[in-house]
Amino acid sequence: MGDHVVIINAEKIVLTGLKSDQKLYRRYTGFPGGLREESFIKLLARRPEAIVEQAVKGMLPKSKLGRQMATKLKVYKGAQHPHLAQQPVAMDFHASNAPKVLTSKVMVPAHPAHSLEG
């Protein structure tokens, strides 16, 4: 739709289980023997934005469109960002996957011929 996404507080990422100890991020420098590995903990301390960027880019299509969509993602380490002039709208996401409680509404027949009486 053309909307940009601004993610703040990337430094507060938490992984469940043993993933924070076991997860590795790999990149290739382009030179022979240039495969570099970095653990989640070290990358979180050095550059937490990269963790979120890689996670989102991995979910996008691997094409020109996906690369163009990734340019609309802005990730920031802390709560401060330079996009206040664009008036971003906050979206609340909760850590728990508990279903939201929906209130049931009483259905009223729209036409008297469809009433439940006699």
Side-chain angles (χ1 to χ4, degrees), residues 14 18 23 26 39 41 43 64 66 69-70 83 90 97 111:
V14 177
L18 298 174
K23 191 163 181 66
R26 293 181 179 95
S39 69
I41 296 169
L43 189 59
K64 289 181 190 178
M69 291 166 68
H83 304 288
N97 290 330
H111 193 274

Side-chain angles (χ1 to χ4, degrees), residues 1 8 40 43 56 58 68 72 74 76 94 97 108 113:
M1 297 291 301
I8 59 173
F40 172 81
L43 189 59
V56 172
Q68 194 275 333
K72 296 182 177 188
K74 309 296 181 193
Y76 296 98
H94 300 285
N97 290 330
V108 177

Side-chain angles (χ1 to χ4, degrees), residues 6 9 15 31 35 45 51 74 93 99 109:
V6 178
N9 295 325
L15 298 181
F31 291 97
L35 183 64
I51 296 170
K74 309 296 181 193
F93 293 98

Side-chain angles (χ1 to χ4, degrees), residues 25-37:
Y25 289 89
R26 293 181 179 95
R27 60 186 173 86
Y28 185 67
T29 63
F31 291 97
L35 183 64
R36 302 287 185 251
E37 289 184 346

Side-chain angles (χ1 to χ4, degrees), residues 96-114:
S96 67
N97 290 330
K100 296 188 186 235
V101 178
L102 299 174
T103 57
S104 62
K105 295 183 180 179
V106 177
M107 299 295 288
V108 177
H111 193 274
H114 299 304

Side-chain angles (χ1 to χ4, degrees), residues 109 111-118:
H111 193 274
H114 299 304
S115 67
L116 299 175
E117 298 175 11

